[in-house]
Amino acid sequence: MTAPDHPGAAGPRATSYWDYLRVDALLSLQGGVGGAPVSTHEELFIVVHQIYELWFKLAIRELRGIRDELLPEFVPDQRMSVAVHSLRRVGVIFEIAAQHWRVMETLSTRDFLDFREKLMRASGFQSGQFREVEAILGLDEAARIGYGGKGSQDRALMNADGSASGSKSRLDALRESGPPILVVLERWLHRTPILGSRPGDAGDAAVVAGFCADYVTAMERDIGDPDARAALQLEDPAARSALAARYRAEVARARDFLRAADLPEGTSDAERARRSRIRAAILFIESYRDLPLLAWPRELLDSLVALEQSMLIFRQRHARMVEREIGSRPGTGGSEGVAYLDSTALRYRVFKDLWAVRTILLRKGALPAPGDTSFYDYRFGG
Ligand code: HEM
């Protein structure tokens, strides 16, 4: 029974399940192209794709919301918790979606080949919504693997007559809707107070440089004598000295990373300083996450890493499903197939610095003392 104040009661009849969910319309969408009846195998193929597109739709909406939460100059804790909740939801969506490849794998190669010709150039490569997910996260367009030349991902979304498809128009609208999550995240990280110092404060650069230097010193101390450490791990003298060299190099790499010395030649000093402050902020939040004001920021960083991890697993899992279905033959979209998909899983990373910081993070007992941390306590009242 519908309660009297329920919106469904407002119309001439109570809302039904099938009207609310547009079940009839939904069930009429699996007919394929060309009018010929589709086999049970082909219907499975269509349904699984459609389910993925619906997951992508939800993910895009959540991700846009997260971007909007992080846009303001000041992001209060309660808004950050909303963003974290959404990020976790998107992470779960991708985790669950990666399990759907298993359903696709019940389609044997022979049964798939029965209708594969119908697809011609149709391919997941033309999933505009998947591109939207990548775009709102902030995947670097310049780093894309374009097997059909530069910009092939965007060209694949054009209709045969050269006009923009609905997918391309939606992707363009998303790009125009504002900056991606990576950009707003980095602006926010850049503003993060480090040891109580904010960008623009007198002496901020020195505070950040001092924090980074102390951290690397603590790292060096924690590793101890690289030769002695390697000797505890390996027997073979050559392997030992290679490992000891690696420990030494790790400290040098950490120093370069925190100074942003790894950025390409020609990078301006201002950009290097900005990147250095962003990286120091990640390190600071991750290291001192027990401080009350750093608790939600740390959750935010962690849920971004978890989301990116679930997307990487999604890509890898898709590639294994594809290998099982079609071996290493070319894809219907014209790529080399599974090798292309594997390289996307390996090379596409959005939150690179969040991952990179993990190599240098220290255990709690080895951290440099942060000094007066009262800045990071919760403050109540005026
Ligand atoms: C038998 C099933 C499938 C096979 C054999 C397959 C194969 C492929 C291949 C070979 C590619 C590379 C582009 C190309 O040359 O076509 C690709 C890309 C892609 N596929 Fe699939 N696929 C299948 C199912 C799916 C499903 C159900 C989805 C869900 C929407 C999907 C989403 C994608 C996406 C998003 C890409 C683009 C990846 C990128 O460029 O990073 N695929 N697929």
Side-chain angles (χ1 to χ4, degrees):
M1 260 212 358
T2 311
D5 62 345
H6 188 279
R13 62 194 171 98
T15 308
S16 65
Y17 175 88
W18 51 89
D19 282 340
Y20 183 67
L21 296 175
R22 314 270 309 275
V23 173
D24 293 346
L26 189 64
L27 298 183
S28 70
L29 299 175
Q30 291 74 38
V33 287
V38 300
S39 67
T40 307
H41 301 305
E42 189 172 355
E43 188 165 295
L44 169 103
F45 184 80
I46 295 170
V47 166
V48 174
H49 274 87
Q50 289 178 338
I51 290 169
Y52 274 107
E53 288 294 335
L54 289 174
W55 283 134
F56 296 160
K57 179 177 178 171
L58 275 181
I60 294 162
R61 187 161 180 177
E62 294 282 353
L63 291 169
R64 282 182 79 141
I66 293 161
R67 186 268 315 272
D68 295 343
E69 291 292 349
L70 299 179
L71 256 178
E73 195 55 27
F74 172 67
V75 187
D77 266 15
Q78 63 272 31
R79 300 317 301 166
M80 205 166 283
S81 70
V82 172
V84 167
H85 180 77
S86 260
L87 277 168
R88 288 189 180 141
R89 178 178 283 164
V90 182
V92 173
I93 289 176
F94 273 98
E95 260 171 60
I96 298 297
Q99 292 174 26
H100 297 182
W101 301 124
R102 187 64 203 94
V103 183
M104 197 55 108
E105 283 165 349
T106 64
L107 182 68
S108 73
T109 305
R110 209 184 64 183
D111 294 334
F112 178 41
L113 294 178
D114 268 348
F115 63 87
R116 188 172 186 247
E117 287 302 301
K118 275 197 197 176
L119 303 179
M120 309 288 267
R121 60 178 289 212
S123 159
F125 195 71
Q126 293 177 311
S127 170
Q129 289 208 104
F130 192 70
R131 300 294 172 227
E132 283 188 62
V133 170
E134 294 175 333
I136 188 69
L137 286 170
L139 183 70
D140 181 2
E141 288 297 323
R144 279 199 181 280
I145 305 159
Y147 60 76
K150 213 170 154 23
S152 57
Q153 277 82 358
D154 268 42
R155 272 199 308 283
L157 299 182
M158 304 305 276
N159 289 317
D161 65 4
S163 61
S165 64
S167 299
K168 176 74 167 71
S169 307
R170 279 191 297 274
L171 177 61
D172 289 343
L174 176 96
R175 284 175 178 152
E176 281 157 22
S177 72
I181 290 176
L182 177 68
V183 169
V184 290
L185 173 81
E186 291 193 338
R187 282 182 197 156
W188 169 78
L189 282 167
H190 185 256
R191 302 192 292 268
T192 296
I194 296 173
L195 296 174
S197 170
R198 297 186 172 92
D201 285 357
D204 179 65
V207 172
V208 175
F211 166 70
C212 293
D214 287 351
Y215 207 98
V216 176
T217 305
M219 185 181 174
E220 228 168 349
R221 198 182 312 121
D222 201 41
I223 290 175
D225 176 359
D227 296 307
R229 178 173 276 261
L232 288 174
Q233 290 174 271
L234 296 170
E235 300 291 329
D236 177 63
R240 264 185 192 177
S241 69
L243 184 58
R246 177 126 201 236
Y247 283 130
R248 283 190 188 92
E250 225 162 70
V251 174
R253 254 201 309 273
R255 199 170 280 124
D256 284 352
F257 172 77
L258 291 172
R259 284 182 191 146
D262 57 321
L263 264 52
E265 221 175 294
T267 304
S268 69
D269 288 349
E271 177 49 27
R272 232 178 263 282
R274 195 186 79 92
R275 178 62 45 196
S276 173
R277 202 179 197 292
I278 288 171
R279 291 173 174 178
I282 302 171
L283 195 60
F284 186 72
I285 292 169
E286 287 280 0
S287 298
Y288 303 105
R289 64 183 196 214
D290 306 322
L291 297 174
L293 286 188
L294 297 184
W296 276 112
R298 196 268 164 178
E299 286 305 300
L300 179 74
L301 302 188
D302 199 50
S303 45
L304 283 164
V305 170
L307 168 61
E308 180 142 57
Q309 185 185 28
S310 68
M311 283 200 65
L312 293 174
I313 292 170
F314 176 91
R315 288 185 194 274
Q316 286 159 350
R317 191 63 188 81
H318 174 245
R320 297 288 72 73
M321 178 280 290
V322 170
E323 189 171 4
R324 188 161 162 186
E325 291 297 325
I326 60 168
S328 57
R329 72 186 82 196
T332 48
S335 81
E336 53 194 329
V338 76
Y340 162 74
L341 294 170
D342 273 333
S343 47
T344 64
L346 204 65
R347 282 171 45 188
Y348 286 180
R349 284 287 168 110
V350 177
F351 304 105
K352 292 186 196 140
D353 284 345
L354 296 189
W355 289 94
V357 154
R358 290 173 139 65
T359 312
I360 58 179
L361 278 182
L362 293 172
R363 65 198 162 87
K364 194 173 176 183
L367 291 172
D372 177 9
T373 56
S374 54
F375 181 95
Y376 299 93
D377 289 341
Y378 278 127
R379 277 175 287 272
F380 298 100

